[in-house]
Each structure stands twice: as structure tokens, then as C-alpha cells.
Amino acid sequence: MLPDRFKKFTRRLVWLFIACCFICYFNLEYLTDFFGKESQVIVNRFVINTPGCRVRFLRNPKKPVPFVEPIHVLQCNRPQLIAPRHKDGNNYFVASNVEENLQCKSWLMERQDHRSNKYILEREFNLSRHGNEPIQVDSGHQMFRIQCRNDENDIKYNDVIFFMPPPCEGQKKTPSYEQRPERLSVMILGIDSMSQMHFQRSFPQLTSFLDYVPHTFFLGYSRVGMDAYDNLLPLLSGLRPDELERRCLSVNKSTYDNCGLLWDTFKTAGYSTSYGEDTAQGIFMDGKAGFQKQPTDFYLHPVMLEMDKHTRYSLDANELINCSGGRQFFDVLNYFIDKLSFYMKSAPFFSVFWHSQGVKDYYHYARRLDVDYVKRLKRLLEMDILDNTLVLLMSDYGLRSDKYRLTYNGMREESQPFLLAIYPDWLQAKYVFAMDNLKRNAHNLVTPFDLHATLNDVMDLNLLKDYHVENRTEILLGYPPKKMPRGVSLFLPLPVKRNCDSAGIPSHYCPCNDLTEIPTDDGVVLRTARFLISSINGLIAPYDKCQKLRLYKVMLAYFVDLGESSFVYELRLRVRTIPGDGLFEGTARLTDTFHLTGPITRVNEYRSQSYCVNETSSKMYCYCLN
């Protein structure tokens, strides 16, 4: 009996040992956190692991970042006295919450050009604290500025409202989905300064909602330029800003009207088009040429411009989050999208909506948007708009300033914006090869140039049929590596040997390169730092009011690992300059001389230091003379 008992006891010990191994393996990250050691399982994990690029997994902070101040709940502190209402073909001002008698003026406006509106008609009306009937105004798409004063002549209400009546049968200019069932609409929902990791930290409810819709998260999406303009322009044009400058702006009197942006192409293909941002200093406006003519069928910028000039007030001390009346600028953008949803439901559309206020300046602000975006997508789902729409929920880069940006994770996240595609079920069922490629490409380097090629395919879904995908794949594979197109449709297989150079990603933004910290007092490091400062001074030399910068200290220095087969030597530095206490980062390639591998970026705020310069590309470098 003893041997049998011993055998049973031994078997139990073996099973217990195996169970303990499984428990330890699946809780290794927790155990290593508990004992204060880094988990090798996490450290060695790659989100991209191809012959051309390996991007390491970044761990989110387990606890709240201690040095980042929480943002308090901010609400507009003035009442929303008047709201627009459309009923039976007519537009009305509907007043509420009026606590005293008011004398009001309204100005009917229309867009004049990209920097101004013109007033067409002025009218006066009174509001009573005892109640008010709706005030009828003209019908159709209209924009009004309204100002109300009390008996003491104090301004009590100052706002801009606009009307977007739902489409009438006689007004439809685009073919309906019933007429063209093969049409796929496009909606780009942009959130400024949102990295992949920050999206995961800030949008838990939206992440849960995605379980109910088909979607793909692109882990290798990368920025290709410094700001929103540099990263959105390749999506809309397929070109870098300098290429568009040569091909279009230099011959079109410096406006974007005839540059062949995607909304122009979609409009020619029979789509309705719309574009809106929650700021007047938009992607194509802040120091840019703008549009002489209205670029899309529905365009929010004239409203935001009027608010910015006449009715804006700020919620925060830094004046980065703005209100008009009782609404934040972001609420105005949401209202614009809501009203457009009736048009989206009836006919194919191409739309771009971009949100930047608050989210690009405050680390914790993004968490306040989680529910808003769930509501947005839920409404699109309930209205069946998602049944015929490709939604790109995306960003341009990660946080570029704030204290979190100064951490190692913050520095790496800056070049890894999030990109998420939501699409209807029938797209996967009907275009199997194309959608399989799209899902596989989630684990390769992806850029805005690829999105441009992808959206061009959306205009003609015949290109997504299996035999077309096979033929186009053969053509793509036939290109020599150095002649591979910079932008490749995500419905085709991206080259497995794709690297940052072939994808059009400057080395300074390349997520594939590992960084090894080196001493900041090394001689080569100091020479590189002086080269960076000299490069900055060269950029501000044309501006007499900008002071020449000097190197105060090298804060960090990294050796950029470009792979075993590379004989190129690159250093990435963070330097502090005086005057102005600026923090700048740049990557320099060392050969016989120094060469920048991308723009030098500023990673701390400069606020009013550059008040004497209007050019956006130079403001971050300039410290103005007193």
C-alpha cells in the first residue's frame, strides 16, 4: 500500500507544481510589479515585429502620473439663452432661462473669405423674463450673431447660432444609397495629440463599445510631420507640405482651392462633403493660406471664426478652452455633426471633423471625452449610418508638451498616434481578400500616405474585388524595394520589409528605432547640441525681434539604434536654451558633417514668448525681445 500512496502523493505534487507554474506565468507582470522588477515578458514584447521594423510595447503607468495636475471639471459659466429650432420648413430663435428683460440684435451673416464674414441683415427683438414665443427668421441654412443687453446696457448674451435644416427630397444633389448600394461613405473623426497608449488610458468606455462593431486598431500608425497640418495634409493630398507647395500653392496664389484634396475628389465622384473643427485657428488657417472659396458642401469654419472674433471667452487660465454663450467650442462641433447626420443617413458623404481644444494641452482632459465619443458612435449606429460608412477615428501625434511628455514613455508615444477603423459587416463578407489585408496591415508600419491611397480605393469598390486585389498585389510585389510607392492602400498587403525610410517617416519620428541613453557630457554629444542650437538660430535669423538662443544644458542624450546592418550614426538630444528656458529635441545624423533627420521640436510651452512672430513654423523657436 505504501508505494501506491507514495505514487499518488507524487502525482499530486507534480500537478500542484504545474498549476503553480501556470499561475506564476499568467501573473508574471503583477508579480514583477509587486517585487519592483521589470517583467521581461513585457519588455521583450513587440507591437510591430517585421523584418523592416520592430516597435517595442510600452507599458502604461499603473498609477496616476504624480506630477501631472488633474484637470477640474470645467463648464461654461454663461447661460445659453437662445437655441436654433427648425420646424415645418421654418427657422426659429427659441429663448429660455431669461431672467430679465433684454433688448437684442441679430445679424444674418455669410462667409466672405477664409478670414472674414459679411453681415447681410440686421434686426432687433426683445426678450421678456415672463416668457417668449419662438421668433421666426428666414428659412434654409443660416448663420446669425446675436447680442442681448439689459436695461442698464450690460451685455447679457453674446453668441453665434446656425441653422442646418434636414434635407428635403427636392434638395438632394447626391444619389441615395438605394440608387448606389455599392457606395461606402467616409467619416474622419480626429482627436488632436492622442497617442495609442493615451487612447487606451483615457477611453475605457469607448474601448468597450468597440466590441459591438467591426473594427481594426492599427498598432503601427506613425506620424510623418511636426504638427496637425503636416500629418493631415498627406492624408488629404498624398503629398508632404513642401511637395504641395511646389505643385499647387506656388501656382494657385497660395490658397488650397485647386490642390485636389480628397474632399474635392469625393465631391466629383458624387459624394456630399463636410469639414469642421472646434477652433477658428484651424489646420488650414493658422498661418496658412486657407480657402478662397468654401471647400466643402458643409463648412463650420465661418461659425467658429465669428465666435472667435466676437463672442469667445475662456474657461481656463491659459485661455486654451473656449466657450460661446453657454457652450464649449467642442459642443458646437458636436451640434454640427448631429445636424449633418440627417444628410449622412440619406446619401453618400465624405467628412472630416477635428477636435483639438483642451485635449492637446492637458493630460487628463481626454478622459472627459470618453462618454461624448461613445454617444457619437452610438448615435451613428442607431441611425444605421455605420451600415454604409468607414469611420477613421484617429490622431496626428501624441502629447507634444506637458510634464508627461518629458518622460521616456511620453517621448516615445509622441510619434505613435492612434488609428482605428470601423467598418460595416458586409464589407468583410463581400471583399474578403481586401479586408484580410487591412487586418494584417494592423501589425505593420502605417502612415497618412497609406490612408490617402486607401480612401482613393473607397471611391471605387470594384478595386476591392478579389481578382483586382490579386492583380494589384502582383504589381506591388514587382516593384524594386527602392521604387516601392510611399503610400500603399491598406486593402493591399504592405511590404513586410517596410521601414521608416520607405514609408516616408523621418528618422526623428521613427518608432522602429531603439534608443540607448548615453552621458550628456560626451564630446560628440556637446558638438551635436551646439549644432542643434545653431540650426534653431538659422531658422529665426530672418526675424529681427527674435533673440539668438544659447545652449544652457544638455538634458538627455540617446544613441539611435538603426539596426545591425546600418553604418549610420545618429544621436537624439534634449537641450535647454536661454533666454526663454526652452526645451528642444532633435535628431542629428553624424557623417563628415551634421544633418538633421527631421524638424527640431519644442517639448515645453512657449505661450506669449513668441508674440512678435506670426508664422506658425517659427513661433516655437522665437523668444521675442522685450
Side-chain angles (χ1 to χ4, degrees):
M1 295 296 293
L2 185 60
D4 290 338
R5 289 180 179 177
F6 182 76
K7 289 179 182 178
K8 290 181 180 179
F9 178 75
T10 303
R11 282 198 297 269
R12 289 175 180 173
L13 281 178
V14 171
W15 282 111
L16 181 62
F17 176 78
I18 293 173
C20 289
C21 289
F22 270 97
I23 292 172
C24 290
Y25 178 81
F26 288 107
N27 290 275
L28 183 58
E29 184 178 351
Y30 168 78
L31 293 172
T32 51
D33 282 345
F34 182 81
F35 289 104
K37 297 180 181 179
E38 192 76 2
S39 167
Q40 293 300 314
V41 174
I42 298 298
V43 169
N44 293 326
R45 188 184 299 171
F46 295 91
V47 294
I48 302 294
N49 192 359
T50 67
C53 175
R54 298 210 306 179
V55 180
R56 291 189 182 275
F57 175 85
L58 292 175
R59 295 178 59 190
N60 267 318
K62 294 293 182 183
K63 299 177 181 179
V65 183
F67 47 79
V68 176
E69 296 180 4
I71 186 169
H72 301 289
V73 177
L74 299 174
Q75 293 183 342
C76 302
N77 55 21
R78 300 179 187 177
Q80 187 65 36
L81 298 185
I82 298 177
R85 179 180 297 174
H86 180 80
K87 184 178 181 181
D88 299 330
N90 295 312
N91 296 333
Y92 298 89
F93 295 155
V94 178
S96 60
N97 304 316
V98 180
E99 297 180 351
E100 57 183 320
N101 296 331
L102 300 173
Q103 297 80 47
C104 302
K105 285 185 178 181
S106 70
W107 294 269
L108 176 63
M109 302 173 295
E110 65 179 26
R111 181 181 187 270
Q112 181 164 284
D113 55 38
H114 64 289
R115 301 200 186 280
S116 62
N117 300 315
K118 62 180 179 181
Y119 293 175
I120 300 173
L121 179 67
E122 178 182 327
R123 65 177 294 180
E124 297 181 357
F125 59 93
N126 296 324
L127 296 180
S128 171
R129 61 189 179 91
H130 299 297
N132 299 275
E133 292 294 323
I135 301 169
Q136 183 175 345
V137 294
D138 293 338
S139 60
H141 294 257
Q142 295 181 315
M143 173 175 60
F144 292 88
R145 176 188 165 201
I146 302 174
Q147 186 180 93
C148 296
R149 296 175 180 267
N150 62 10
D151 293 336
E152 286 74 35
N153 205 33
D154 298 324
I155 296 177
K156 290 298 181 178
Y157 182 66
N158 200 17
D159 198 8
V160 177
I161 65 173
F162 59 99
F163 293 90
M164 293 181 60
C168 299
E169 290 299 323
Q171 294 178 336
K172 290 183 181 179
K173 297 181 180 180
T174 54
S176 67
Y177 287 114
E178 289 74 17
Q179 295 169 312
R180 294 294 303 273
E182 285 292 318
R183 285 293 177 100
L184 182 67
S185 293
V186 175
M187 178 184 292
I188 297 172
L189 288 174
I191 308 175
D192 209 285
S193 306
M194 184 66 56
S195 70
Q196 297 173 22
M197 301 300 288
H198 199 39
F199 177 82
Q200 294 176 20
R201 290 190 291 265
S202 305
F203 290 84
Q205 295 188 57
L206 179 54
T207 302
S208 298
F209 173 83
L210 293 173
D211 292 336
Y212 298 94
V213 293
H215 69 280
T216 298
F217 202 112
F218 292 89
L219 299 174
Y221 188 58
S222 176
R223 72 189 292 194
V224 295
M226 181 182 294
D227 54 19
Y229 175 79
D230 291 346
N231 289 286
L232 194 59
L233 189 66
L235 188 159
L236 293 173
S237 69
L239 302 172
R240 296 194 310 264
D242 61 314
E243 294 170 339
L244 190 77
E245 173 73 31
R246 292 194 303 270
R247 298 187 189 185
C248 175
L249 298 183
S250 60
V251 296
N252 284 295
K253 298 181 180 179
S254 298
T255 64
Y256 297 93
D257 294 80
N258 299 310
C259 290
L261 302 181
L262 267 181
W263 47 58
D264 297 321
T265 313
F266 272 86
K267 190 171 184 177
T268 302
Y271 287 69
S272 69
T273 57
S274 53
Y275 174 36
E277 298 185 59
D278 65 339
T279 177
Q281 287 74 40
I283 294 170
F284 292 93
M285 299 298 162
D286 190 12
K288 305 296 189 303
F291 302 92
Q292 190 63 31
K293 298 179 181 179
Q294 180 168 307
T296 53
D297 297 320
F298 303 96
Y299 190 43
L300 186 60
H301 182 258
V303 173
M304 306 310 298
L305 180 65
E306 196 69 18
M307 287 181 173
D308 188 70
K309 285 185 175 182
H310 297 290
T311 68
R312 169 178 60 89
Y313 64 96
S314 300
L315 285 180
D316 59 323
N318 296 319
E319 299 186 354
L320 299 172
I321 305 173
N322 298 322
C323 291
S324 177
R327 303 164 296 166
Q328 286 190 30
F329 278 19
F330 175 59
D331 298 325
V332 178
L333 175 61
N334 271 340
Y335 177 82
F336 180 65
I337 300 173
D338 280 341
K339 293 304 175 183
L340 280 173
S341 61
F342 296 102
Y343 292 85
M344 297 173 180
K345 187 176 181 179
S346 60
F349 64 89
F350 175 85
S351 57
V352 179
F353 308 116
W354 204 264
H355 172 210
S356 60
Q357 288 211 350
V359 70
K360 73 175 183 178
D361 299 295
Y362 298 107
Y363 178 87
H364 289 298
Y365 190 87
R367 296 182 182 180
R368 302 184 59 214
L369 306 176
D370 191 14
V371 174
D372 288 326
Y373 277 90
V374 171
K375 290 179 179 178
R376 165 70 46 235
L377 292 176
K378 188 176 180 181
R379 177 175 170 83
L380 296 175
L381 182 64
E382 291 172 346
M383 294 184 69
D384 298 327
I385 293 173
L386 292 184
D387 289 347
N388 295 286
T389 304
L390 170 66
V391 177
L392 296 180
L393 192 58
M394 62 179 296
S395 190
D396 42 8
Y397 43 75
L399 283 168
R400 291 196 300 166
S401 58
D402 206 297
K403 294 180 180 179
Y404 182 75
R405 172 58 183 80
L406 301 180
T407 66
Y408 179 81
N409 265 29
M411 178 178 64
R412 299 298 281 180
E413 287 182 29
E414 184 189 20
S415 293
Q416 299 177 40
F418 87 100
L419 171 63
L420 173 69
I422 302 172
Y423 39 81
D425 285 315
W426 60 264
L427 203 64
Q428 171 67 59
K430 191 163 187 176
Y431 305 106
V432 178
F433 286 4
M435 293 304 294
D436 285 349
N437 285 332
L438 182 134
K439 293 176 182 178
R440 279 194 292 268
N441 289 333
H443 298 277
N444 203 333
L445 273 182
V446 175
T447 71
F449 298 110
D450 302 321
L451 296 183
H452 179 80
T454 304
L455 295 181
N456 272 314
D457 281 355
V458 168
M459 280 183 285
D460 183 4
L461 294 182
N462 283 323
L463 294 173
L464 305 191
K465 291 181 177 179
D466 290 352
Y467 65 89
H468 279 308
V469 171
E470 289 178 337
N471 292 337
R472 295 170 67 198
T473 300
E474 289 183 11
I475 295 172
L476 186 66
L477 295 176
Y479 282 104
K482 292 186 178 181
K483 293 188 177 181
M484 184 67 64
R486 179 176 57 188
V488 177
S489 171
L490 297 180
F491 296 120
L492 302 177
L494 292 174
V496 293
K497 293 186 178 181
R498 184 179 235 205
N499 55 29
C500 288
D501 186 50
S502 61
I505 305 171
S507 180
H508 183 61
Y509 301 133
C510 182
C512 310
N513 301 334
D514 280 337
L515 301 178
T516 303
E517 191 168 358
I518 57 177
T520 57
D521 58 355
D522 180 85
V524 176
V525 169
L526 294 175
R527 285 171 51 208
T528 307
R530 287 191 286 269
F531 166 71
L532 294 182
I533 304 303
S534 175
S535 300
I536 295 174
N537 285 328
L539 292 172
I540 60 177
Y543 306 99
D544 296 336
K545 294 184 179 180
C546 296
Q547 294 196 48
K548 189 175 182 179
L549 300 183
R550 304 188 305 276
L551 175 65
Y552 175 73
K553 185 178 182 181
V554 179
M555 308 301 295
L556 284 172
Y558 294 96
F559 170 74
V560 181
D561 184 1
L562 300 175
E564 296 178 358
S565 60
S566 175
F567 298 98
V568 176
Y569 191 78
E570 288 187 0
L571 293 180
R572 177 168 183 153
L573 270 59
R574 180 184 298 163
V575 298
R576 187 181 296 276
T577 62
I578 53 175
D581 203 32
L583 283 175
F584 297 95
E585 285 183 7
T587 302
R589 181 169 295 176
L590 283 64
T591 54
D592 295 337
T593 58
F594 290 98
H595 301 279
L596 290 174
T597 63
I600 299 173
T601 56
R602 183 158 184 167
V603 296
N604 66 337
E605 299 289 351
Y606 51 91
R607 304 295 182 198
S608 59
Q609 289 184 356
S610 57
Y611 68 90
C612 60
V613 174
N614 294 323
E615 287 76 6
T616 306
S617 59
S618 303
K619 288 180 75 70
M620 71 175 68
Y621 306 117
C622 180
Y623 184 81
C624 296
L625 295 166
N626 292 330

